């Protein structure tokens, strides 16, 4: 049980990098970018082929990120230049990436069992178990990315990207080209998704054509879980930096829930159903909680005014 939970934490952190990419499009642009499923597998495919070909594992991960950025730029191009709806543009890119990923690997999967990876190098250098090495590497990447995103979205162009999702018409009225901000956000988002794909590929020592299937669901679930946890905390995490951290924490919690459910004897084939239930519950809890809080506040205001309590009291 302990090893399973440790493995879940390591996977949650590595997938958390992908969640940060989904956070950019879903929370900042208000777009559910379905490119994610394809760009995650693209990052894994590129990374696997490069590592097998003798490329340095760290460089392979960086190039996986670049490949993801290219995929995001294609979606952004279709959306901004040809004015194809964002969700449809993402679907088109995702479908195309399935064939592209097969072309890159030349087969449905590529094993990395006999080659060095970033994680095996850390394990050999420190003597730590694979899961612990994965946690350390994942934390380093996650912290660096969170710091970089916090800095970038505090700049003028980053603030414009954030404002585009809040009120696109107002941003255009201020003279900002929203096509450029959308392109930047989609490119950056899928770059992080590709980076995560490369990390997961080297962590599990193989890349598979279907490794990105359902990635968008995992990303949305992690973001919502992170938001719920943020609302339940006494201080209510509201700053941009805390929301980025909450997204990664949500990813870890999501994988911990999956690991616990599997340890309880649930069939692995039911994981898609479990994922859907987790997302649904995570979406429902905030709504129910807010209604409960509003009802309590209304009841308190009535009691303060001396009116009858709607729940039967005074």
């Amino acid at each position: 049980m302990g090893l399973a939970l440790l493995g879940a934490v390591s996977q949650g952190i590595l997938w958390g990098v992908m969640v940060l990419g989904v956070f950019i499009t879903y929370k900042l642009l208000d777009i559910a970018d379905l490119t994610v499923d394809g760009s995650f597998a693209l990052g894994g495919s590129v990374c696997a082929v490069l590592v097998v070909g003798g490329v340095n594992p760290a460089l392979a991960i960086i190039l996986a990120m670049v490949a993801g950025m290219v995929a995001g730029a294609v979606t952004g191009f279709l959306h901004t230049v040809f004015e194809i709806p964002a969700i449809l543009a993402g679907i088109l890119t995702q479908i195309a990436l399935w064939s592209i990923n097969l072309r890159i690997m030349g087969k449905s999967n590529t094993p990395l069992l006999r080659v060095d990876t970033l994680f095996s190098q850390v394990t050999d250098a420190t003597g730590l178990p694979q899961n612990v090495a994965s946690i350390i590497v994942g934390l380093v990447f996650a912290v660096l990315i969170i710091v970089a995103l916090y800095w970038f979205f505090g700049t003028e162009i980053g603030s414009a990207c954030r404002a585009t999702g809040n009120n696109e018409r107002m941003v255009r009225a201020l003279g900002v080209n929203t096509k450029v901000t959308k392109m930047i956000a989609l490119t950056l988002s899928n770059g992080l998704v590709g980076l995560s794909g490369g990390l997961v590929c080297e962590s599990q020592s193989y890349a598979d054509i279907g490794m990105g299937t359902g990635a968008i669901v995992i990303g949305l679930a992690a973001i919502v879980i992170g938001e719920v946890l943020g609302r339940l905390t006494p201080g209510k995490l509201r700053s941009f930096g805390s929301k980025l951290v909450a997204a990664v924490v949500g990813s870890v919690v999501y994988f911990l829930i999956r690991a616990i459910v599997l340890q309880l004897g649930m069939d692995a084939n039911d994981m898609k159903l479990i994922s859907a239930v987790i997302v649904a519950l995570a979406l429902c809890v905030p709504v129910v909680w807010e209604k409960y809080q509003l009802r309590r506040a209304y009841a308190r205001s009535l009691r303060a005014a001396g009116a009858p309590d709607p729940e039967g009291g005074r």
Side-chain angles (χ1 to χ4, degrees):
M1 184 71 171
L3 289 176
L5 295 182
L6 193 62
V9 171
S10 65
Q11 287 299 300
I13 296 173
L14 297 178
W15 280 79
V17 175
M18 181 275 296
V19 176
L20 290 172
V22 176
F23 180 89
I24 294 173
T25 50
Y26 178 61
K27 299 303 294 184
L28 302 188
L29 286 188
D30 196 24
I31 295 173
D33 180 24
L34 297 183
T35 312
V36 170
D37 286 19
S39 57
F40 186 86
L42 174 65
S45 301
V46 169
C47 183
V49 170
L50 290 175
V51 171
V52 171
V55 176
N56 183 281
L59 178 59
I61 289 175
I62 300 302
L63 293 176
M65 179 180 70
V66 174
M69 294 176 71
V70 173
V74 171
T75 298
F77 184 79
L78 293 174
H79 176 51
T80 59
V81 176
F82 295 108
E83 299 183 357
I84 298 175
I87 191 168
L88 179 56
I91 291 173
L92 292 174
T93 307
Q94 176 199 127
I95 292 172
L97 284 174
W98 178 274
S99 298
I100 292 172
N101 293 337
L102 278 175
R103 288 281 186 178
I104 291 173
M105 292 192 293
K107 49 188 175 180
S108 61
N109 61 77
T110 301
L112 306 178
L113 298 178
R114 298 183 180 179
V115 295
D116 282 338
T117 66
L118 185 61
F119 301 91
S120 66
Q121 290 176 350
V122 172
T123 300
D124 294 339
T126 61
L128 295 172
Q130 175 76 19
N131 286 337
V132 177
S134 297
I135 292 174
I136 293 174
V137 173
L139 281 175
V140 170
F141 273 93
V143 169
L144 290 176
I145 291 169
I146 288 173
V147 171
L149 290 178
Y150 184 80
W151 169 81
F152 172 74
F153 285 107
T155 63
E156 184 176 350
I157 185 64
S159 298
C161 291
R162 294 172 63 182
T164 298
N166 290 330
N167 194 328
E168 185 175 345
R169 291 184 179 179
M170 183 197 72
V171 174
R172 283 201 301 265
L174 294 174
V176 177
N177 188 339
T178 55
K179 292 184 178 181
V180 173
T181 57
K182 288 181 178 180
M183 178 69 80
I184 291 174
L186 285 166
T187 301
L188 178 59
S189 168
N190 284 279
L192 294 179
V193 174
L195 174 63
S196 179
L199 288 170
V200 172
C201 164
E202 292 196 19
S203 174
Q204 64 189 14
S205 296
Y206 72 91
D208 185 84
I209 188 65
M211 65 185 294
T213 304
I216 185 64
V217 175
I218 294 174
L220 296 177
I223 291 171
V224 174
I225 291 172
E227 284 187 341
V228 171
L229 294 176
R231 292 181 183 182
L232 295 179
T233 55
K236 291 189 177 181
L237 305 177
R238 297 188 182 277
S239 69
F240 182 69
S242 63
K243 290 180 180 179
L244 292 175
V245 174
V248 178
V249 173
S251 176
V252 174
V253 172
Y254 174 84
F255 277 89
L256 282 173
I257 293 173
R258 283 181 41 159
I260 292 171
V261 169
L262 287 175
Q263 289 296 312
L264 292 177
M266 180 70 74
D267 191 334
N269 293 324
D270 294 331
M271 285 313 302
K272 296 298 181 184
L273 173 61
I274 295 171
S275 298
V277 171
I278 292 173
V279 174
L281 289 175
L283 289 171
C284 293
V285 167
V287 176
V288 175
W289 179 256
E290 287 184 3
K291 288 184 177 179
Y292 172 72
Q293 293 286 66
L294 287 173
R295 186 169 181 176
R296 286 188 60 187
Y298 178 63
R300 284 197 300 268
S301 65
L302 289 178
R303 286 196 298 268
D309 192 317
E311 296 182 356
R314 287 287 299 177

